[in-house]
Amino acid sequence: MASSERSALLTYRLCGGSAEEERGRERGRAAAAPRKLPTFLGVVVPTLLSMFSVVLFLRLGFVVGHAGLYQALAMFAVAYFIIGMTVLSVCAIATNGALDAGGAYYMISRALGPEFGGSIGIMFFLANVCGSALYVLGLVEAVVDSFGIPPGQEAGTGVHVLPQSYWYELLYGTVLLVLCLLVCLVGASIYAKATFLIFLIVAAVLGTILVSFFATRPLKVPIHLPHFNGTETDNGFFTGFSLDTLRDNLGGGYGVDYTTGQMMSFSSVFAVMFNGCTGIMAGSNMSGDLKRPSYSIPRGTISAVLFTYLVYNLLAFLMCATCNRILLQKDYGFLRDISIFPPLVTVGIYAATLSAAMSNLIGASRILYALARDDLFGRALALAKKTSASGNPVMAVIISWLVVQVVLFSGKLNTIASVVTTFFLLVYATVNLACLALEWASAPNFRPTFRYFTWHTCLLGIAGCCVMMFLISPVSASASLGFLLLLLLALHYLSPSSTWGYISQALIFHQVRKYLLMLDVRKDHVKFWRPQMLLMVQNPRGSARLIDFVNDLKKSGLYVLGHVELQDLDMLPSDPLQPQQDSWLSLVDKLNVKAFVSLTLAPSVRHGVRQLLFTSGLGGMRPNTLVLGFYDDEAPQDGLAQHPAFTSAREEVPLGFPPLRTPTTPKLLSAREYVGIVADALKMLRNVLLARQLESLDKAWELRRAASPPPTIHVWPVNLLRPDSARYADTCSLFLLQMACVLNMARAWRRARLRLFLCVEAGTMPHAQEEKLRQLLKDLRIQAQIQLVPWDSITRLHWQTCRGPPGGPAEEEEEEEGVVNFPTNTTQVSDEYVCAANKLVLEQSPAPAVRFLYLPRPPADTSLYPLYLHQLELLTRGLGPTVLVHGVSAVTSTQL
């Protein structure tokens, strides 16, 4: 069992790291620090001693005296309900894989990721540090109570020889803490042996106390309380079993705490009492020293929790039935006064509190060592990594000891009780959150062998912890949550990435799958249409600015970077795309674009684009628009080499992408194949964008220009290659308007102004056309400046080379179901006409940041594909950044 627990599979299940790396780390740790402790010594004993420390011997009477039996039992029920839910979560996580040093920190960090793990690790470290200080202060209180000079006396008598003052008590605490330090420096083995010896003593004392309730006769106990002008004497009574005493102690009777002078309440008493329940992680903190942590932690922790719950309830009843309220409230060491053998009770109090202090100190050191080893805080915790030859993290122990020493300056046990309780409740809430997240993520590898938990128990544990935190101390709870949030943010932005796996990714996947199933394409409506882009990229080196431009154009829609690798998988030993995936994803991160990556193998680029159009996306999230770079003879320029994201890194070959092709290198696809891709996309009812010279678009410079005049976006919603079929309200024109408007809505382009060009001829009532277009823009809520452009000289060239005058059959073409039926002889215009149209577009000043032009449908005759592409090249030559747009779907709506 022990060997299987350290297997690579189990390590992977919890940690998510490299199996080989984990095996190496485990071999190194095993050689340095062999796991020795069994369930009883490693889990049961530390847990019992942590829970049976100060509260059992020094504060249980305080709880019962102030709260009464009914409220005390209610407190125990609430406290144990909270820790019971937490124990179930701890057991579930502990049995889901191999555990290492760090206890709760290790569980949370490997379940929720480094941000939550590191921040909660610090909180748990502080909780253990404050807990250790609390137990040391409790021990000092017991020592001073037994051997201190009574208040008001200058010299003691008999055994009462220890002076009492703040500084003297701090000195006693420091000496006791040094003793704990020496034991912890020796290592976990001697600690386990020492705690077992202490456990035997505590068990004997507990037995003596139980017997004393029955064997001791009624007696009066004088109580000397400190007072501002000396001492105040009162008498408490041990009545033996008495119905009157029990009846008097059933209800609450909150008074003043004689050690702090503060009035007690349910929340303040609960804060003190809950410290008797915070030891449930003592066994988990020793996970790095246990032989079989996944076996020992559930069994040992549950056994210890059930036993302590029974003992606390039994003692609460016995105290209420035998001791009057004055004795319970004003003498925290009354168990020694009523014992049949008082010295043994004194030894038991010392032993239990000393053990609890050591348990918290060694637990804090193990958490700090685990945090340092994971490098979440970089050099800040580098010193804590140092270990002894036997593997004991001595520097982590020393640092923890120093922090405990600082906390000792608080002076009184009840002063820090609420802080300790808040810290522990926050940690317990996060343990429940970790288990809840694992359960809700429904990951197949979350299959703990401990099955006695559900998401309901996790949720109840979280709710209970949060409610009690704010009931005990709203200030401490708010401060703790604020500090936790700061740690979360710091680790999110500063910590290195880990290989543990992030529960957030599993939860996101679970929710995305659920919502994708709910995204019904049959319920699509034009009002909620958004562009979903598939941008084909041959080599990102030559497309950096195009990638960024399309990112602005997507308007919160789907954005996919597609790439076709021309290879045959049958001829390859493995998939060549897998090694490239990380480079593409890193590219997306560096360019800071919100895009997915889709790579495919195909015998030709055209087949690859078809594959991606058919298969990219999922459910209702599929590309509806194909974006291609323009096909021309210009040599590609390396845009990544000048990109700010890469110039700072000084990478010779950014992300490992191959160099760009040289002008003499043949292209991967022909002109006919390129136009065929456009035709394929239109047949598949995908909108098409062809982007030319976008790499020359310096968006940052354009948008930094002086506010007057702002940069402009020129829009030509007319088919310049078919003036006889020109109209401004067909599907393609409206789609072109929509895309220009979407770009203008992007945050980076909001300063830009849309300029819409209305081509008019003499005798066609241009002002009426302008008014009609202005009304259309108003209905579509598009703000644009309309500019009239006479083009009689251009159209005259068209009619000289085409088949007939305006008003002929070409203008009779109708739209059917939102798709324009373009004539088959689209390319039957002369180069002279196309050059004139190019000149017309170029003459409109000032020069815009980008132009949107109407993209005609490719001809049905594939032999005309090269001529079609040639005329597109003539039309866009020298225009600068230009986007040719052809839309096939209705994308605008005038409805509410």
Side-chain angles (χ1 to χ4, degrees):
M1 179 69 181
S3 61
S4 66
E5 210 169 50
R6 309 309 305 165
S7 69
L9 174 62
L10 288 178
T11 303
Y12 174 78
R13 278 195 353 233
L14 188 59
C15 306
S18 164
E20 192 61 40
E21 177 186 347
E22 287 296 326
R23 280 197 295 269
R25 290 175 62 184
E26 291 300 333
R27 282 195 296 268
R29 283 197 294 270
R35 296 165 178 265
K36 308 173 185 177
L37 302 181
T39 303
F40 187 72
L41 287 179
V43 181
V44 176
V45 170
T47 304
L48 284 176
L49 290 178
S50 293
M51 301 179 77
F52 271 167
S53 54
V54 172
V55 172
L56 177 68
F57 294 113
L58 295 177
R59 288 297 185 271
L60 190 56
F62 161 85
V63 172
V64 174
H66 285 283
L69 180 61
Y70 290 153
Q71 292 187 38
L73 294 180
M75 288 182 183
F76 290 133
V78 171
Y80 273 84
F81 173 79
I82 293 173
I83 67 168
M85 299 299 102
T86 306
V87 166
L88 297 181
S89 298
V90 169
C91 295
I93 299 175
T95 58
N96 189 51
L99 282 178
D100 209 335
Y105 158 71
Y106 191 85
M107 296 179 191
I108 295 170
S109 63
R110 269 50 177 184
L112 297 184
E115 293 96 343
F116 254 106
S119 53
I120 289 297
I122 291 293
M123 301 298 290
F124 198 29
F125 167 75
L126 294 176
N128 277 274
V129 161
C130 293
S132 181
L134 181 142
Y135 295 130
V136 169
L137 290 173
L139 181 55
V140 169
E141 186 179 293
V143 170
V144 170
D145 192 40
S146 299
F147 302 105
I149 298 174
Q153 298 183 17
E154 294 185 359
T157 57
V159 296
H160 299 282
V161 295
L162 296 179
Q164 293 190 54
S165 71
Y166 169 80
W167 293 106
Y168 273 113
E169 291 177 6
L170 179 62
L171 175 63
Y172 305 151
T174 301
V175 172
L176 294 171
L177 186 58
V178 169
L179 178 61
C180 296
L181 171 67
L182 295 176
V183 174
C184 293
L185 283 176
V186 176
S189 179
I190 189 66
Y191 163 75
K193 294 175 183 177
T195 53
F196 180 65
L197 178 61
I198 293 173
F199 172 74
L200 295 178
I201 296 173
V202 171
V205 172
L206 187 59
T208 302
I209 290 173
L210 291 175
V211 171
S212 299
F213 281 110
F214 296 91
T216 302
R217 294 183 178 182
L219 56 88
K220 180 174 70 173
V221 181
I223 303 171
H224 303 284
L225 300 176
H227 199 263
F228 66 92
N229 59 357
T231 60
E232 177 183 340
T233 303
D234 204 343
N235 293 315
F237 292 93
F238 175 79
T239 63
F241 286 97
S242 167
L243 188 60
D244 292 335
T245 304
L246 178 62
R247 189 180 297 111
D248 292 340
N249 289 327
L250 289 179
Y254 295 100
V256 176
D257 173 23
Y258 72 85
T259 63
T260 62
Q262 296 179 353
M263 186 67 185
M264 293 292 98
S265 63
F266 181 92
S267 60
S268 58
V269 172
F270 181 86
V272 175
M273 184 280 303
F274 193 80
N275 286 285
C277 310
T278 56
I280 61 170
M281 291 291 188
S284 302
N285 292 342
M286 301 297 294
S287 57
D289 301 292
L290 297 173
K291 286 182 180 178
R292 298 185 295 173
S294 295
Y295 173 87
S296 301
I297 290 175
R299 289 163 176 78
T301 305
I302 292 176
S303 301
V305 167
L306 290 176
F307 182 73
T308 56
Y309 180 67
L310 293 174
V311 170
Y312 277 136
N313 281 275
L314 176 61
L315 287 178
F317 174 78
L318 293 176
M319 289 176 182
C320 284
T322 58
C323 304
N324 76 338
R325 195 177 293 273
I326 293 177
L327 180 63
L328 294 175
Q329 286 187 349
K330 297 185 178 182
D331 186 3
Y332 293 164
F334 77 96
L335 289 176
R336 180 177 57 250
D337 299 326
I338 68 171
S339 174
I340 58 176
F341 188 50
L344 183 60
V345 176
T346 302
V347 172
I349 293 173
Y350 296 167
T353 50
L354 187 65
S355 171
M358 285 192 296
S359 175
N360 278 264
L361 180 60
I362 199 168
S365 68
R366 294 311 190 262
I367 296 166
L368 187 64
Y369 172 64
L371 282 166
R373 195 180 58 193
D374 286 337
D375 281 327
L376 295 184
F377 294 89
R379 296 180 181 178
L381 297 181
L383 190 64
K385 294 182 185 179
K386 298 184 181 298
T387 62
S388 64
S390 62
N392 187 33
V394 289
M395 291 308 301
V397 172
I398 292 173
I399 294 172
S400 303
W401 166 72
L402 289 173
V403 180
V404 175
Q405 181 64 55
V406 172
V407 179
L408 285 181
F409 282 92
S410 62
K412 291 296 181 182
L413 185 153
N414 288 6
T415 304
I416 61 173
S418 61
V419 177
V420 176
T421 301
T422 301
F423 280 163
F424 275 109
L425 282 170
L426 188 58
V427 173
Y428 295 166
T430 315
V431 171
N432 285 300
L433 177 63
C435 189
L436 177 67
L438 289 169
E439 178 70 9
W440 275 356
S442 301
N445 279 328
F446 182 62
R447 43 178 184 269
T449 56
F450 182 86
R451 297 302 305 166
Y452 301 102
F453 78 100
T454 67
W455 66 268
H456 303 86
T457 62
C458 302
L459 208 56
L460 287 172
I462 294 171
C465 291
C466 293
V467 169
M468 293 312 304
M469 260 199 318
F470 283 94
L471 283 179
I472 290 170
S473 175
V475 175
S476 297
S478 301
S480 300
L481 288 173
F483 183 55
L484 176 65
L485 183 60
L486 287 177
L487 287 173
L488 274 171
L489 293 174
L491 285 171
H492 178 73
Y493 290 106
L494 301 178
S495 68
S497 59
S498 72
T499 57
W500 308 334
Y502 294 78
I503 190 63
S504 58
Q505 295 298 302
L507 290 172
I508 289 170
F509 176 88
H510 187 267
Q511 292 302 107
V512 167
R513 180 192 63 85
K514 181 171 72 174
Y515 287 120
L516 273 175
L517 290 172
M518 297 169 62
L519 192 60
D520 191 345
V521 295
R522 295 168 295 184
K523 298 178 182 179
D524 282 348
H525 194 279
V526 67
K527 289 190 298 185
F528 307 112
W529 178 91
R530 65 183 71 235
Q532 305 199 77
M533 305 292 199
L534 171 61
L535 170 61
M536 298 305 304
V537 180
Q538 178 187 353
N539 190 332
R541 285 178 170 276
S543 309
R545 288 181 176 173
L546 176 58
I547 293 171
D548 182 63
F549 178 79
V550 177
N551 186 63
D552 290 335
L553 205 57
K554 71 180 188 307
K555 185 56 181 172
S556 303
L558 178 68
Y559 183 17
V560 180
L561 296 181
H563 173 71
V564 179
E565 194 77 17
L566 299 182
Q567 296 191 56
D568 186 356
L569 190 59
D570 290 338
M571 307 300 294
L572 299 171
S574 62
D575 181 7
L577 300 178
Q578 291 301 322
Q580 298 183 29
Q581 190 77 19
D582 287 344
S583 294
W584 283 86
L585 293 176
S586 298
L587 173 77
V588 169
D589 292 338
K590 283 182 173 290
L591 294 181
N592 195 27
V593 296
K594 298 176 181 179
F596 298 95
V597 173
S598 187
L599 311 180
T600 188
L601 285 177
S604 69
V605 175
R606 186 174 182 181
H607 282 85
V609 176
R610 283 179 184 171
Q611 290 177 22
L612 293 177
L613 285 173
F614 276 125
T615 61
S616 292
L618 199 62
M621 294 188 67
R622 292 184 179 277
N624 56 29
T625 304
L626 175 66
V627 186
L628 301 171
F630 197 77
Y631 189 96
D632 54 28
D633 294 325
E634 294 183 13
Q637 301 296 319
D638 193 340
L640 289 187
Q642 288 80 36
H643 197 280
F646 295 96
T647 52
S648 58
R650 300 184 183 277
E651 298 182 37
E652 183 179 348
V653 182
L655 302 176
F657 292 114
L660 292 169
R661 67 174 180 86
T662 62
T664 58
T665 305
K667 298 179 180 179
L668 296 179
L669 75 165
S670 64
R672 189 184 299 273
E673 188 179 7
Y674 177 83
V675 179
I677 293 173
V678 176
D680 290 343
L682 296 178
K683 290 177 184 177
M684 298 165 67
L685 297 182
R686 302 298 202 277
N687 310 298
V688 176
L689 275 61
L690 303 184
R692 185 173 192 186
Q693 295 186 353
L694 261 296
E695 288 307 302
S696 66
L697 172 63
D698 190 345
K699 183 178 74 173
W701 181 84
E702 290 284 353
L703 302 178
R704 279 199 309 265
R705 290 193 302 178
S708 179
T712 57
I713 301 171
H714 285 191
V715 183
W716 294 79
V718 60
N719 186 353
L720 293 174
L721 295 185
R722 285 295 306 216
D724 55 338
S725 63
R727 64 185 67 182
Y728 289 96
D730 66 17
T731 302
C732 187
S733 298
L734 292 176
F735 181 81
L736 189 150
L737 279 173
Q738 180 82 325
M739 297 311 298
C741 180
V742 166
L743 180 66
N744 193 209
M745 293 170 69
R747 178 176 297 179
W749 291 87
R750 285 177 184 169
R751 282 190 57 246
R753 296 292 179 262
L754 288 181
R755 180 173 294 173
L756 187 61
F757 293 92
L758 176 60
C759 297
V760 296
E761 299 180 59
T764 57
M765 301 177 65
H767 294 292
Q769 295 183 40
E770 180 183 4
E771 188 60 31
K772 184 178 179 182
L773 181 58
R774 196 177 302 280
Q775 184 60 41
L776 174 65
L777 293 177
K778 182 180 179 181
D779 292 340
L780 296 177
R781 289 90 61 206
I782 297 176
Q783 295 182 357
Q785 174 189 351
I786 299 176
Q787 182 170 330
L788 301 180
V789 180
W791 70 331
D792 298 79
S793 59
I794 310 298
T795 56
R796 192 177 302 114
L797 289 173
H798 175 67
W799 303 130
Q800 289 173 1
T801 58
C802 290
R803 66 178 184 269
E811 290 196 354
E812 302 298 325
E813 300 293 336
E814 297 288 341
E815 293 185 37
E816 294 183 6
E817 298 181 1
V819 179
V820 182
N821 293 318
F822 286 88
T824 59
N825 60 340
T826 304
T827 58
Q828 298 302 308
V829 291
S830 66
D831 288 356
E832 181 184 8
Y833 164 78
V834 178
C835 290
N838 169 263
K839 184 179 179 182
L840 176 71
V841 174
L842 195 57
E843 287 175 347
Q844 308 308 314
S845 60
V850 65
R851 289 180 172 92
F852 283 84
L853 301 185
Y854 191 113
L855 173 66
R857 181 184 286 269
D861 186 355
T862 58
S863 65
L864 297 177
Y865 281 2
L867 180 58
Y868 168 82
L869 186 58
H870 168 69
Q871 293 186 338
L872 290 181
E873 194 279 330
L874 288 179
L875 179 64
T876 57
R877 181 177 293 176
L879 296 184
T882 304
V883 182
L884 292 161
V885 180
H886 190 94
V888 297
S889 54
V891 296
T892 56
S893 173
T894 58
Q895 299 177 1
L896 182 62

